[in-house]
Amino acid sequence: MIEHYAGNFPLWLAPDQVRLLPFGDDQVEYAKEVVSELRKHEVRVSLDTTSDKIGARIRRAETEKVHTILLVGQREQEAGNLAVREHGKGDLGAKPKAEVISNLLERIKTRQG
Amino acid sequence: MESAKHDVQRKTLEERNQMSDLERLRHSCAHVLATAVLRLWPDAKLDIGPPTAEGFYYDFDLEHRFSPEDFEAIEAEMKKVTKENQTFERSTKTREEAKAYYAERGQNFKVERVDDIPEGEEISFYQNGEFVDLCAGPHVMRTGNIKAFKLLRVAAAYYRGNEKNPQLQRIYGTAFKNKTQLNEWLEAQEEARKRDHRKIGREMQLFAFDDDVGPGLPLWLPKGTVLIEELEKLAKETEFEAGYERVRTPHLARENMYKTSGHLPYYAESMFPPMEVKDDDPDKPTDRIYLKAMNCPHHHKIFSAVPRSYRELPLRLAEYGTCYRYERSGELMGLMRVRSMQMNDAHIYCTPEQFADEFRAVNEMYLKYFKIFGFEKYSMRFSTHSPDRLGDKYVDEAELWKQTENMVRDVLVESGVDFEEVPDEAAFYGPKIDVQVYSISGREFTIATNQVDFAVPKRFGLEYKTRENTPEML
Ligand SMILES: [Zn+2]
Ligand SMILES: [Zn+2]
């Protein structure tokens, strides 16, 4: 199974399903809300608030094979959005927070991708 | 560094005649390798250089320790030998001449190899350029025919595979008809290496092995445990939907149960040796307790734990159990061959009339899994018994074997799955059906095994009440 996926597991199986990357300190609270909302639904989610540049944090998440990265900049925070990046698919654009979360939960539940 | 511990059997003349073009090419390349090594290290002692599944090797004994850093120089010299386009010329010697020839040159392994050649077979030599080698062939015509080759790695190998003999240095290489084929093969190797679960397991921190824990006993780190638990969850949900009931059984059992099941003595060498447990009462005999290597006997005991009626059949019991198997340490390989494993194991107790439906349902469950995992290609291997081995390799129930195998064959044909039938590979107690899937890298994995078991239930005295209220064997 490990070789079949070459370590790039589908969302439902991935050890690291989701990671939140707030751009700056101002977005940490917003990111934490998303984390606890996902945790409540047993999603394996982590938060990277290190001071590394956002590009470096994305690269780290990708080498660690995190399935979905959710980015929060000032723009996303103000609009109540999350910018989605998926392993192997790259940037998928920003969508409303509630939509992103329910999408993730639905995919995990049905084991789709 | 790997070390080879198996002696290779000298090929018979008939086997040599059947060597493929590619094997001839690769074996010829082994001669070219030896030619080059002798040019660079004239005091090297030579053993043999047969073709292998992936290419060829040659065994050497010399003071210099080979390393991949030498490959460039050796390959350059090999290149020269192929450019020289030497012919492979055959000649013969008598046994005495052959031995004297090698004794003079201090090639002691070769002196002994002369005696591997059976009486009556010609003792032939092949010469290319200045290099003469004891060999029965066959080869390509000229060294120039070898257009694409590459040295792969160095390994230690005991002379004749015996640990008491001196250790030789084995250089592995491969050769192909042309550069394109060689490059394609190298790329596929690289892709497989990248996908190697041992490498991924280390990098992603999925599992680890520790010397103090012991070989073949994986430690599942948190991220690897997630994988196992997600797969278990999937199995639980799928099986629940399909009408399975989950059970739990201990990891140990008394010797007696495995005698009843027939695993002892037939399966004894795959089980860990038993633990001797003395009873508090000195008059009572010592217990011999085994670690379970399979869940089946425990499940049979669950079946017989309560009186069963026909209304309960089919009864489907499932357990995500840990089993322990003794594998020789040399045969352990990452997670593919381990000594402890989680096995999703289910046993279905049904009447012969229910068999076809149950079997179909199991196949449908596999298809569901394959869709989730995106396995596109899969096939089944149907292993049947051999009538000549009844009573020794197989339970002596000629009629039941025939009936059961016909039943399985009918269901397989009807279901339209791609299957091949392999005679004389069944388990002791019944035919088996292995499900093989093909991963993206083209590797083939046996992902599940279905076992039809018509004999063991009888040995366990498993029975149920029929409509007429008389017990009947499963
Ligand atoms: Zn030869
Ligand atoms: Zn079993």
Side-chain angles (χ1 to χ4, degrees):
Chain A
M1 204 61 78
I2 297 172
E3 295 188 10
H4 171 60
Y5 288 118
N8 299 316
F9 299 105
L11 180 62
W12 68 274
L13 192 54
D16 289 301
Q17 293 176 309
V18 181
R19 181 167 300 170
L20 266 289
L21 300 186
F23 276 54
D25 290 344
D26 293 343
Q27 285 84 43
V28 170
E29 265 321 299
Y30 180 77
K32 275 186 178 164
E33 275 169 36
V34 180
V35 167
S36 56
E37 173 73 16
L38 287 169
R39 276 212 168 262
K40 235 188 340 208
H41 292 95
E42 289 176 69
V43 178
R44 296 179 286 275
V45 57
S46 54
L47 175 67
D48 184 352
T49 54
T50 54
S51 56
D52 298 326
K53 289 220 177 63
I54 197 74
R57 282 187 277 160
I58 291 174
R59 269 195 305 281
R60 181 162 59 224
E62 277 174 352
T63 39
E64 289 174 8
K65 300 192 189 281
V66 175
H67 187 281
T68 298
I69 302 171
L70 300 177
L71 297 146
V72 194
Q74 201 187 338
R75 229 179 332 143
E76 284 77 21
Q77 186 184 8
E78 278 164 10
N81 282 350
L82 290 164
V84 184
R85 261 190 91 90
E86 205 175 290
H87 195 280
K89 286 191 189 156
D91 196 352
L92 299 177
K95 286 184 202 102
K97 185 175 90 174
E99 188 190 323
V100 172
I101 292 176
S102 68
N103 239 326
L104 285 168
L105 297 181
E106 180 62 19
R107 272 175 74 190
I108 292 170
K109 200 176 136 215
T110 55
R111 299 192 174 92
Q112 301 284 312
Chain B
M1 189 183 282
E2 65 187 294
S3 101
K5 285 205 181 121
H6 297 287
D7 193 12
V8 274
Q9 284 297 310
R10 187 173 181 275
K11 286 189 171 57
T12 63
L13 284 177
E14 195 185 333
E15 283 165 335
R16 284 169 197 276
N17 283 331
Q18 286 168 0
M19 263 164 72
S20 68
D21 287 350
L22 189 59
E23 283 176 310
R24 284 167 200 240
L25 181 80
R26 287 169 167 180
H27 167 65
S28 306
C29 197
H31 281 254
V32 172
L33 167 63
T35 313
V37 166
L38 277 180
R39 281 186 185 175
L40 297 167
W41 293 275
D43 55 350
K45 304 276 178 283
L46 275 53
D47 189 25
I48 51 169
T52 64
E54 61 161 11
F56 62 86
Y57 67 79
Y58 212 110
D59 283 348
F60 302 95
D61 184 23
L62 74 163
E63 204 125 314
H64 172 77
R65 298 276 99 194
F66 285 130
S67 79
E69 271 119 73
D70 297 319
F71 287 177
E72 206 183 319
I74 302 172
E75 281 171 351
E77 201 59 47
M78 288 170 74
K79 189 109 243 162
K80 279 189 212 156
V81 176
T82 58
K83 278 257 163 61
E84 288 161 23
N85 203 14
Q86 307 156 346
T87 48
F88 284 98
E89 307 250 21
R90 188 176 186 273
S91 64
T92 59
K93 289 190 195 326
T94 66
R95 196 168 292 266
E96 279 61 48
E97 283 168 354
K99 283 185 172 176
Y101 174 85
Y102 275 130
E104 235 168 72
R105 285 159 180 78
Q107 293 284 0
N108 297 328
F109 302 119
K110 289 287 189 190
V111 174
E112 290 177 28
R113 290 289 181 185
V114 172
D115 277 330
D116 291 354
I117 302 168
E119 264 335 305
E121 193 179 305
E122 242 180 349
I123 295 175
S124 63
F125 285 76
Y126 277 87
Q127 177 159 14
N128 61 291
E130 76 279 12
F131 177 58
V132 182
D133 205 358
L134 174 73
C135 187
H139 305 97
V140 291
M141 296 291 289
R142 301 173 149 273
T143 56
N145 297 128
I146 306 164
K147 302 243 189 285
F149 61 84
K150 183 154 179 60
L151 298 182
L152 300 171
R153 60 188 186 277
V154 189
Y158 291 102
Y159 174 55
R160 290 182 188 274
N162 188 331
E163 288 163 54
K164 294 189 186 83
N165 288 337
Q167 212 174 48
L168 307 176
Q169 300 187 66
R170 175 169 298 176
I171 298 183
Y172 282 98
T174 193
F176 282 87
K177 260 210 305 253
N178 54 51
K179 287 240 163 60
T180 322
Q181 282 181 13
L182 172 65
N183 288 336
E184 276 170 12
W185 184 81
L186 289 171
E187 269 164 40
Q189 290 294 107
E190 177 61 21
E191 179 59 21
R193 200 186 57 77
K194 265 195 270 170
R195 283 179 176 270
D196 188 325
H197 71 275
R198 288 168 290 191
K199 182 169 174 281
I200 298 169
R202 214 173 21 250
E203 286 170 358
M204 287 187 75
Q205 304 188 354
L206 299 175
F207 58 88
F209 289 95
D210 185 291
D211 245 8
D212 282 344
V213 178
L217 301 169
L219 294 168
W220 288 95
L221 307 180
K223 290 187 182 186
T225 305
V226 165
L227 295 181
I228 293 189
E229 292 192 344
E230 282 294 349
L231 293 173
E232 190 176 342
K233 203 159 95 190
L234 171 66
K236 265 188 193 166
E237 288 173 18
T238 315
E239 286 170 358
F240 180 82
E241 216 185 303
Y244 287 68
E245 295 172 282
R246 297 195 80 78
V247 293
R248 282 181 184 251
T249 58
H251 293 198
L252 304 170
R254 282 178 153 168
E255 179 174 49
N256 198 38
M257 182 169 74
Y258 295 110
K259 278 187 176 158
T260 310
S261 69
H263 286 106
L264 290 176
Y266 298 102
Y267 199 70
E269 55 186 53
S270 299
M271 295 174 74
F272 274 96
M275 293 165 255
E276 309 247 335
V277 184
K278 285 200 172 54
D279 199 281
D280 290 341
D281 179 352
D283 296 335
K284 287 216 173 127
T286 304
D287 246 342
R288 284 158 68 84
I289 310 270
Y290 279 85
L291 266 172
K292 73 172 165 191
M294 66 296 295
N295 301 304
C296 342
H298 280 98
H299 287 192
H300 299 338
K301 290 296 184 189
I302 288 180
F303 184 92
S304 62
V306 288
R308 301 286 177 187
S309 128
Y310 71 93
R311 281 183 301 270
E312 290 170 78
L313 301 183
L315 182 74
R316 310 179 188 92
L317 301 179
E319 177 170 12
Y320 214 85
T322 308
C323 294
Y324 303 87
R325 294 199 181 160
Y326 179 73
E327 301 272 3
R328 293 174 49 172
S329 58
E331 287 168 2
L332 297 168
M333 188 204 123
L335 295 177
M336 302 306 262
R337 246 168 200 276
V338 288
R339 287 175 171 173
S340 90
M341 60 185 143
Q342 255 82 280
M343 208 159 62
N344 189 37
D345 200 3
H347 298 97
I348 302 174
Y349 301 84
C350 66
T351 64
E353 299 77 52
Q354 291 167 335
F355 175 80
D357 279 343
E358 287 305 308
F359 190 80
R360 258 191 298 270
V362 170
N363 278 339
E364 267 159 35
M365 196 153 86
Y366 288 146
L367 289 180
K368 232 185 219 172
Y369 286 134
F370 297 163
K371 217 172 134 208
I372 291 173
F373 295 121
F375 289 124
E376 273 155 22
K377 222 179 127 202
Y378 73 97
S379 66
M380 305 220 180
R381 246 174 91 92
F382 174 31
S383 304
T384 57
H385 80 301
S386 148
D388 335 329
R389 306 284 308 267
L390 283 172
D392 114 57
K393 196 174 166 191
Y394 305 111
V395 278
D396 201 359
E397 297 271 9
E399 213 23 61
L400 272 174
W401 272 104
K402 255 211 295 214
Q403 277 175 21
T404 316
E405 287 176 359
N406 286 339
M407 199 156 64
V408 176
R409 199 177 296 107
D410 289 349
V411 180
L412 281 171
V413 171
E414 183 214 359
S415 67
V417 284
D418 186 15
F419 80 95
E420 61 164 339
E421 190 167 330
V422 206
D424 201 16
E425 296 246 310
F428 174 64
Y429 41 84
K432 68 177 181 182
I433 306 100
D434 290 309
V435 187
Q436 279 154 322
V437 292
Y438 301 83
S439 71
I440 305 164
S441 54
R443 282 177 72 173
E444 181 186 304
F445 301 97
T446 297
I447 202 161
T449 299
N450 298 342
Q451 183 79 56
V452 189
D453 188 337
F454 53 75
V456 174
K458 201 182 248 178
R459 301 168 71 119
F460 273 88
L462 302 188
E463 52 185 37
Y464 60 93
K465 291 236 165 35
T466 63
R467 242 172 282 246
E468 292 76 41
N469 222 14
T470 51
E472 188 170 304
M473 294 294 181
L474 284 168

